[in-house]
Amino acid sequence: MLDIGTVLDDRYRILSERQPGSFGRVYLAEDLKEGNKKVILKEFTLAVQGTDASPTLQKLSNLNHPRIAKFELVYYQQNLFLVRDYIVGKSYATLLKSKHTVTGYFTKNEILELFRQILPVLSYLHKKGVIHGNISPENIIRSNKDNLPVLIDFGVKQVATEILGVESLASQGNHNAKTTYAPDDQLKKGRFAPDSDLYALAASALYLMTGKEPKDLWDVPAAKWIKQKKLTLRSPLKEALNKMLAAAPEQRFQSAEEVLRLLDNKTIVQSNMSRNLVFFFAGVGVTALAAVGAIAFFPVFKPQPQRNLTLGFLAIPNFPNQKYELLADYLKTELGNKLKTDKLTIIVDAIDTQSTTSLLDAKNRIADKKWDIAFTVNPMLSVEAKKNGYTFAARMWPGIEQIQSVLFVRGDSSIKNIADLTPDKIIALGQPGDAVTYSLPLYNLYGKTLTIDKRNSVNDIIEKVKSGQADIGAGYLNRIKEEPKLRLFGFSRSIPLSGVYLSPNISEKEQNLIKETLLNAAPNVRNQTNYEQGEEPDYSNFIGINNRVIEILSCTKFDQNPVNLYCDRPQNIIQGKVDGVFPVANDKHELTLQTEKDTYKVILPNSYVGAPLELNGKIIQVIDVKPKEVSGTLVLEITQPKQIKVKD
């Protein structure tokens, strides 16, 4: 047992012990390197001397999906720990208990929606070679962040079986019929396959719809599920459950995609059939219907595809105009009609700005095209959206033209001017990449040496300056003006605001429909989601500032305080005249650079200069790039904007 306060791997500090798991103790801890983010540590008391004994272990640590808790592997005192994100929310077992006292059990539609959220996650896991192996209502959490289900504790039983073997695993008492939802072929034979996960998901659904555990619903002598009078189901859910719960593995669905296809196609065909029959009866009559036959209806039953649209944004604490549920309901109704589907699901993905990785998480969502409609909130994310091919749809922050970054101190501070900023002074900055609390302050403080406290939220910066933990802070002008105990110290230039952007994965026709629908929303819908019609902001100057900050950071030891915010190392410069410019890819050009001694080929990303073709005949400098010899030719590959300079 680990004592409270124990630190593993110089990173994870134990906060408390939780209910023990099947294979060891479970702890709540905080990640000291990620702003004290809460994590769960699951101990494997299996005497493992490395991860080779379980191929699944390495697969777990490489998984990355928004609907599963991320894993890392840590060794401490010869024991293995799986570290996963702590998901704030309620398990579906807990939700059932509270639901039963009010409305009864989960409905058929709620289970269908749960399947549509969870089955794509299982598909991702299975394609990565990971079987969950322990699906149950306890291991599906409805996240408080977006009210969507998240899978936890996947792969644990598969790992234990690989390490210990089936017989040894059974001898440890892990086969518990009262709590498991897995089929016998997994429990008794150690068979982990996609169909066994689907079996456990279906068994969990039965529990959520009846309140009875699998052991109370399974007729052992007859080897079949007991029919429940209160559980009346029709296709397609009934058909799906029957096949998912088949006793023989070969009779079950073999993939999550098969279940989804059945649910979506059957549901839509059934819905269309009822509407078309009413129409036919009214217009033709019963006799004609009998004469034509059922085959005449087949072309009419064209299933509409399931559609998901994700709204993504940064959630700012205490900001009143961030109620995206109203917009989600509006889009579901309006777009469902325009896109000609009654299977449209609007997913709201909110990233809390209190997290120290919120900007990075949002950038990754945009880079991976996971946000269909991106409410960027921050101009850095607007730039990221443009860089990744997103299309502008609307302006954010109605009534505000630009925002201004300021430096501030406590009212009684001895700091009066820039000369007072000595190396012992502490400046509290925001998250790396944040325009107002990080990039602009570093840009304006170039040449100074300071002690830097970074990765703070806006509120943390203010509190640290008030309490004296920091001498100076960076923040938003309007926010700091509201604080009577603070004094403005310096102003930065104004920067443009953010916008609403549409993913390049959406067709141009549908982008136009979405943009039209957004702009035609009622004023209260637009106000509560903080956007309006308008022109796209010009980010060109801001991009230049940010590139300069990247250049500063590249030549400073930013993690060693105090930090010298300037570059003083010698540079290796190759200067010559451009004698030829040719495109070599969609986003790159090749320059022929002639110096006094040699000829070089320069590979240059288009975004690093205004117009590559206009460089022909000009003098350029390539800075700190080591030449590579390729087939007898000296090649200089530019990987950062600071590595090329055009001489006037």
Side-chain angles (χ1 to χ4, degrees), residues 569-641:
R569 60 180 174 81
Q571 294 178 318
N572 178 27
I573 298 175
I574 298 175
Q575 179 172 306
K577 184 178 181 180
V578 178
D579 187 20
V581 181
F582 306 93
V584 293
N586 291 334
D587 58 348
K588 291 183 180 180
H589 274 69
E590 178 184 280
L591 315 181
T592 301
L593 181 63
Q594 186 66 53
T595 69
E596 291 181 357
K597 295 181 178 180
D598 297 296
T599 300
Y600 297 84
K601 295 296 183 184
V602 181
I603 307 300
L604 174 69
N606 298 342
S607 58
Y608 290 179
V609 294
L613 292 175
E614 294 179 7
L615 294 178
N616 197 42
K618 293 193 175 181
I619 304 297
I620 67 169
Q621 292 180 339
V622 177
I623 304 165
D624 286 339
V625 179
K626 187 176 180 180
K628 298 179 182 178
E629 186 170 346
V630 180
S631 301
T633 302
L634 294 174
V635 177
L636 301 168
E637 185 166 3
I638 307 296
T639 59
Q640 300 178 46

Side-chain angles (χ1 to χ4, degrees), residues 59-189:
K59 294 175 184 176
L60 290 179
S61 61
N62 292 327
L63 296 175
N64 184 17
H65 191 285
R67 300 261 67 82
I68 59 178
K70 294 180 182 177
F71 268 101
E72 290 185 22
L73 307 176
V74 173
Y75 283 94
Y76 181 74
Q77 295 181 348
Q78 296 185 334
N79 279 336
L80 172 68
F81 291 82
L82 296 185
V83 185
R84 71 162 173 84
D85 290 346
Y86 175 63
I87 307 299
V88 180
K90 294 181 180 179
S91 72
Y92 272 71
T94 301
L95 291 172
L96 176 64
K97 292 176 183 177
S98 58
K99 177 185 269 291
H100 183 50
T101 60
V102 181
T103 59
Y105 303 100
F106 278 74
T107 66
K108 177 193 73 172
N109 287 337
E110 287 174 321
I111 294 299
L112 281 169
E113 187 60 31
L114 175 64
F115 276 17
R116 290 192 176 101
Q117 296 292 345
I118 290 296
L119 286 168
V121 183
L122 289 179
S123 175
Y124 170 82
L125 286 175
H126 296 161
K127 288 177 180 177
K128 294 291 184 179
V130 174
I131 305 302
H132 188 291
N134 197 22
I135 292 177
S136 71
E138 286 288 353
N139 287 337
I140 306 175
I141 305 293
R142 180 181 288 172
S143 170
N144 287 351
K145 185 171 74 170
D146 53 17
N147 284 327
L148 293 175
V150 177
L151 278 177
I152 64 171
D153 288 353
F154 47 86
V156 174
K157 289 195 174 182
Q158 187 178 5
V159 169
T161 303
E162 290 170 350
I163 294 173
L164 294 177
V166 180
E167 295 79 7
S168 179
L169 187 64
S171 69
Q172 292 201 5
N174 291 301
H175 172 26
N176 187 339
K178 292 184 178 180
T179 58
T180 187
Y181 292 76
D184 274 357
D185 46 277
Q186 176 183 308
L187 298 172
K188 297 178 180 179
K189 300 178 182 178

Side-chain angles (χ1 to χ4, degrees), residues 396-401 497 532:
M396 296 198 71
W397 305 98
I400 304 175
E401 287 301 319
L497 295 172
E532 65 180 353

Side-chain angles (χ1 to χ4, degrees), residues 370-420:
K370 291 182 178 178
W371 283 355
D372 298 299
I373 306 177
F375 290 78
T376 57
V377 178
N378 187 303
M380 286 299 301
L381 296 182
S382 298
V383 172
E384 189 71 19
K386 286 175 62 67
K387 186 172 74 175
N388 283 280
Y390 278 67
T391 302
F392 176 79
R395 286 177 64 95
M396 296 198 71
W397 305 98
I400 304 175
E401 287 301 319
Q402 292 185 319
I403 52 178
Q404 195 164 44
S405 173
V406 295
L407 299 177
F408 61 91
V409 295
R410 206 162 69 173
D412 59 358
S413 172
S414 61
I415 297 175
K416 303 299 180 183
N417 55 57
I418 196 107
D420 295 331

